[in-house]
Amino acid sequence: MSYRTQSGFVAAEVANETLFEQAIAICCHRHGLAADVILRRLEDGDCVMHSTFRYGIAKGLSLYLAHLGCGFHEVYVYGSSVNETSNSCSDIDVIVVVEQRRDEIEYLLKRLDLSITAHYRCLLGLKQYPTSLLDVHVVDKQQQAERSGFGAVLDGLHTRPICLWRSDPAYLGAFRKEGPQRSLHAYSRTSTGGHTPVPAQEMKIGSA
Amino acid sequence: MAIQDTTRMVSERIRDVEINPYEMMLQQLDMVREYTDIPDNIWQILRKPERTLEVSIPLTRDDGNVEVLTGYRVQYNSSRGPCKGGIRFHPGVTPEEVKALAGWMTWKCAVVNIPYGGGKGGICCDPSRLSRTELERLTRRYTAMIYPLIGTRRDIPAPDVNTNAQVMNWIVDTVQFLSGESNPGIVTGKSIEVGGALGRHEATGRGVMFATLGVLQRLGIDVEGASVAIQGFGNVGSIAARLLAEEGAKIIGISDVSGAHHCPSGFDMKQVLAYVSTSPGHLLAGLPHPGTEEISNDDLLTLDVDVLIPAALEAQITARNAGDVKARVIVEGANGPTTPEADLILGERGVTIVPDILANAGGVVCSYFEWVQNIQCFPWEEEETNQRLGRILQRALREVWTLAEERDISLRLAAFILGVERVATAIQLRGIFP
C-alpha cells in the first residue's frame, strides 16, 4: 500500500507489513507456535492470541512513535490487550505521554489508526469491523503529574498499564532484559509454550 | 515456519489494501469536532453527502464496440451556495473517493469564504486509452447523465485530473443543446473564447504567491531577498516562481520530473521560463543557467531557504526527510505534499506550514470569478481578477492565522475548523427542511 494517493489524502507512513510481522513474531515466541497457526487462531477468534497480537501491535506502535522522536515520552498499553480478553473486534487501549499536547500528534495518531485498522481487517478477512483498532489517549506531562484525565489511569491500582517504551534510557534499564514486566497477568498463564517477548531493539518499524 | 514465510503470508494478505479516502476525510472532520461546539445534530449532517449519483455511461468506441463505464457526481453540501467541484477521468475513481473530494471542496470553499458548497464528479476510465472523439462522446454522454443535477445555481463542475478546458467546452455545448439556452456558467475552467476567465490559468500559482507573501509578512521576513525553493515546475510552481521573483524573492531551487537545479545567487526567472517554453516536454532538463548546479530532488527539499513550496506530488515531505528540511515556511502548492509524520516533525521544529486547503485555493476562487462573470454576462479585465484574488486569499490567511493563534493550533487545523464551522453555521441558520 502506498501512502500517496491521487486524491490528495495522505495516509500515515507506518509499514503495516512490518508491524504485523513483528506482532506475529511475538505471538510465535510467546506461544511457541508457527505463524500460520497463529493466523488461523486469530481468524478463529482465540482471545489469548488476539491479546498477544494486540500487545505486539502496541509494542510496534510505541517503537514507531519513538523512531519519530517528536516529544513522545512514554507509551503504555492496558485493557484487553494485556488481560487476554481481546476478540477480533477489540480495540487496543494505548496511552501516549507527550511533552505537550498538539493537534499534529492527534492527527498522526488518527491517521495511524486508520491505516493499521484497514490493514488489520484485510489481514484477517474482516469486512467492516473493527472500525477503529487503536484507542489512543494522549496525556501531557502536566496531566501525568497531576494524575488528571488519562494521566490518572497510569497510576490505577487495578488496571495499571504496561509501559512499552520510555524516552528515558535509565528507565528502560529497569525492565527485565527480555521485556517489560506485566502488572496483572503473568505470562505463565498462557497454555502453550513459555513467553519470550521480542526485545525492543529487534523491532524494526518505520521503514515506509 | 521461517520469517520469510511469515513475511510472504502477511504481504499476500494486505498487499492491495487501499485506505478509504472518505474515511480519511471523515476522520479529519471528527478531529474538528473536538475543537468546536457544533451540536450533534449538525454533525450528523456534516458527515454525509447530500446527494450521490452513479451513472452508467455507454461509450461507443471508434471500432464500434460499446463499453459501459461508471461515473459519479456527488453534491456534498449546498448550505453555503451551489456545489462546486471538478470532474476527473481516472481508472482509480471510486464513489468513496468522489465523496471524500466533494466533502473536501465543501470545506475548501468555506475557508476562503466564497459562496459555494462542495461537489465532485468523475468517471472510472483510462483517458490515455481513448481517442479524442471517444473522449468527447464520453464527456457528452456523462454530461447528459448528470444533467438533472448540475446547473448554474445548483452544481458547477470544473476541470480536475485528466480533464481540461476542452472537456469543459464540450460540457457547455452539451448543456446548451439539452436546455436550448446558452449557459456558460454551468462549468468553470472553460476556454476564454467560450466564457472562461482571464487569469484562470495563473490563478493557483498566483494564490500560492499571495499565501507566501502573507505568511512572510506575519513572520517578519522581508520578501525582498527571501530565498525560495520550489518543487514542481508545472502550472502552479512555475507561475508561483515567476510571481515571487517579481516581488523580489530569490528563487534558488527549482525542480521537475527531469531533475532539480540549485542557483545560490538566484535564478533569472525570465531566462528559465523562456527555456522551458521551448524545451522538450517543457522540462527543466538541460537548463543553461550560469552559476547553477544539478542536485537531487531530495536535496532540493532540504535546501537552506526561507520558503519551500512543494508544488508537485503528494507525500513528498515525509518522516525520512522532514528532519532535514531547513525552510522556515512551507507553502503547500500541491495537494497533500506533507505526510502526518512530517507534519508532526516540522511542527515540533517550529516550521510554519500553510496548508494546501488554503495555499492552493486560488484556482477555485478564480473559478468563482468566472462564474460571477458568466451569470452577469460581464467579463472582467485580468487585473481585476488578480486584485480580487489577492484580497480574498489574504483575508482567508488572516482569518486562519488569527484562529490558529487564538487556539494555539496548527494552521492546518485552524483552516479546517474555520471551513467546517462556516458550513455548520449556514446549516443552523437555514434550519432543516421541512
Side-chain angles (χ1 to χ4, degrees):
Chain A
M1 203 284 299
S2 169
Y3 51 87
R4 289 167 53 173
T5 67
Q6 53 141 356
S7 61
F9 293 95
V10 181
E13 296 175 49
V14 64
N16 287 282
E17 286 180 22
T18 313
L19 192 72
F20 292 157
E21 283 165 20
Q22 298 293 343
I24 290 170
I26 286 177
C27 292
C28 293
H29 278 283
R30 188 177 294 180
H31 302 292
L33 297 169
D36 55 341
V37 179
I38 302 285
L39 274 173
R40 211 160 43 241
R41 291 214 178 168
L42 288 171
E43 286 169 337
D44 291 344
D46 183 322
C47 291
V48 173
M49 203 59 74
H50 271 285
S51 292
T52 312
F53 184 68
R54 278 159 171 70
Y55 173 86
I57 289 177
K59 181 76 184 169
L61 177 73
S62 71
L63 295 175
Y64 186 71
L65 297 178
H67 141 88
L68 292 175
C70 282
F72 293 110
H73 285 294
E74 294 152 40
V75 180
Y76 295 85
V77 63
Y78 68 105
S80 64
S81 303
V82 294
N83 61 25
E84 295 170 353
T85 56
S86 293
N87 60 46
S88 61
C89 289
S90 299
D91 56 18
I92 306 172
D93 297 301
V94 174
I95 295 175
V96 176
V97 181
V98 297
E99 182 67 36
Q100 189 183 1
R101 294 183 71 134
R102 289 169 42 210
D103 56 273
E104 293 99 328
I105 293 174
E106 289 172 44
Y107 176 56
L108 170 63
L109 291 171
K110 283 178 189 292
R111 281 288 190 253
L112 284 169
D113 176 35
L114 204 57
S115 179
I116 294 170
T117 304
H119 286 82
Y120 168 79
R121 284 199 301 257
C122 196
L123 181 75
L124 296 189
L126 303 167
K127 294 229 183 294
Q128 204 175 350
Y129 296 102
T131 54
S132 172
L133 191 62
L134 303 180
D135 187 10
V136 185
H137 300 279
V138 180
V139 171
D140 62 30
K141 292 301 273 184
Q142 191 180 347
Q143 285 178 308
Q144 188 183 27
E146 293 172 353
R147 296 176 186 175
S148 62
F150 273 85
V153 178
L154 294 174
D155 278 335
L157 284 176
H158 301 294
T159 57
R160 197 179 195 90
I162 295 173
C163 184
L164 295 170
W165 171 81
R166 180 173 276 203
S167 58
D168 179 3
Y171 183 91
L172 282 174
F175 286 138
R176 292 184 308 197
K177 192 180 175 186
E178 69 272 25
Q181 293 178 27
R182 309 189 75 190
S183 57
L184 279 180
H185 299 274
Y187 285 124
S188 56
R189 279 189 60 191
T190 55
S191 53
T192 51
H195 69 279
T196 318
V198 177
Q201 58 270 25
E202 288 183 20
M203 302 285 289
K204 292 173 188 162
I205 308 296
S207 53
Chain B
M1 177 174 270
I3 188 73
Q4 292 89 342
D5 295 328
T6 312
T7 303
R8 184 176 43 76
M9 202 160 45
V10 171
S11 298
E12 279 174 4
R13 289 189 180 213
I14 67 174
R15 184 188 304 146
D16 298 323
V17 175
E18 285 293 334
I19 299 172
N20 186 333
Y22 183 50
E23 282 186 34
M24 294 170 92
M25 194 279 287
L26 288 181
Q27 197 183 54
Q28 274 185 288
L29 187 62
D30 288 341
M31 192 171 159
V32 170
R33 188 175 192 175
E34 295 159 22
Y35 290 82
T36 61
D37 53 1
I38 297 170
D40 280 352
N41 287 343
I42 303 298
W43 276 108
Q44 301 309 315
I45 297 170
L46 290 173
R47 285 177 57 85
K48 296 272 186 184
E50 280 178 7
R51 195 177 278 127
T52 303
L53 176 67
E54 179 178 321
V55 294
S56 298
I57 313 157
L59 168 68
T60 307
R61 302 296 300 265
D62 290 342
D63 63 6
N65 287 323
V66 174
E67 198 173 319
V68 181
L69 302 167
T70 306
Y72 309 91
R73 186 71 194 171
V74 173
Q75 296 175 340
Y76 198 86
N77 192 290
S78 61
S79 300
R80 288 176 44 85
C83 297
K84 186 85 190 84
I87 291 171
R88 56 175 55 187
F89 293 171
H90 194 275
V93 167
T94 65
E96 297 297 290
E97 185 198 38
V98 178
K99 279 197 299 188
L101 292 167
W104 188 250
M105 283 304 296
T106 308
W107 325 130
K108 189 171 192 171
C109 292
V111 170
V112 291
N113 210 4
I114 55 176
Y116 281 144
K120 206 76 178 186
I123 301 175
C124 183
C125 66
D126 182 357
S128 67
R129 287 180 49 241
L130 301 177
S131 68
R132 182 183 163 89
T133 52
E134 288 170 337
L135 203 59
E136 179 177 350
R137 283 197 293 277
L138 177 66
T139 303
R140 289 183 183 278
R141 181 64 185 238
Y142 171 70
T143 305
M145 302 293 278
I146 65 167
Y147 179 60
L149 255 60
I150 61 174
T152 307
R153 308 277 181 184
R154 288 201 294 263
D155 183 356
I156 307 124
D160 199 277
V161 176
N162 294 328
T163 55
N164 55 18
Q166 181 57 66
V167 171
M168 298 303 111
N169 299 342
W170 288 329
I171 294 177
V172 168
D173 189 68
T174 306
V175 169
Q176 181 165 340
F177 275 89
L178 291 172
S179 67
E181 295 173 350
S182 171
N183 194 358
I186 191 90
V187 292
T188 59
K190 306 172 288 289
S191 301
I192 302 292
E193 298 81 355
V194 186
L198 292 169
R200 175 69 176 81
H201 174 69
E202 292 193 350
T204 307
R206 190 174 289 278
V208 169
M209 180 269 288
F210 283 126
T212 307
L213 294 186
V215 74
L216 286 179
Q217 185 192 0
R218 279 166 179 76
L219 293 174
I221 303 171
D222 190 353
V223 66
E224 189 72 39
S227 54
V228 180
I230 300 180
Q231 186 204 36
F233 210 69
N235 184 35
V236 179
S238 66
I239 288 164
R242 175 172 64 80
L243 296 173
L244 282 167
E246 286 172 8
E247 293 291 329
K250 196 165 68 172
I251 313 299
I252 69 165
I254 50 178
S255 75
D256 62 15
V257 289
S258 70
H261 305 261
H262 179 214
C263 179
S265 59
F267 285 101
D268 177 343
M269 289 314 300
K270 281 184 185 164
Q271 191 182 331
V272 174
L273 290 165
Y275 175 75
V276 295
S277 67
T278 57
S279 65
H282 301 294
L283 295 175
L284 290 165
L287 176 69
H289 194 286
T292 302
E293 59 171 342
E294 286 193 24
I295 56 174
S296 69
N297 247 308
D298 278 352
D299 290 340
L300 179 115
L301 294 171
T302 57
L303 283 176
D304 189 2
V305 288
D306 294 308
V307 183
L308 172 64
I309 301 177
L313 296 168
E314 303 86 2
Q316 294 299 297
I317 307 174
T318 65
R320 187 176 55 81
N321 59 17
D324 298 324
V325 169
K326 298 177 191 71
R328 294 171 67 184
V329 177
I330 293 175
V331 181
E332 294 185 336
N335 282 327
T338 315
T339 66
E341 285 86 347
D343 223 19
L344 177 64
I345 294 167
L346 294 166
E348 180 90 358
R349 297 178 52 225
V351 178
T352 302
I353 303 173
V354 184
D356 50 3
I357 195 170
L358 175 61
N360 67 26
V364 73
V365 174
C366 196
S367 275
Y368 162 59
F369 295 155
E370 182 178 333
W371 176 75
V372 168
Q373 292 168 67
N374 290 154
I375 57 180
Q376 292 183 337
C377 302
F378 185 76
W380 302 349
E381 296 298 327
E382 185 170 349
E383 186 62 25
E384 184 169 1
T385 296
N386 295 343
Q387 284 176 0
R388 287 181 184 274
L389 178 65
R391 283 204 290 275
I392 284 183
L393 290 177
Q394 282 161 357
R395 181 189 62 199
L397 179 65
R398 185 172 63 243
E399 290 169 339
V400 170
W401 192 278
T402 303
L403 186 65
E405 280 191 335
E406 281 173 1
R407 303 200 191 179
D408 192 21
I409 53 177
S410 65
L411 291 176
R412 192 183 306 284
L413 180 61
F416 214 67
I417 289 175
L418 191 67
V420 172
E421 281 189 329
R422 282 182 172 152
V423 178
T425 303
I427 295 170
Q428 279 182 296
L429 290 171
R430 291 165 64 118
I432 298 171
F433 176 84

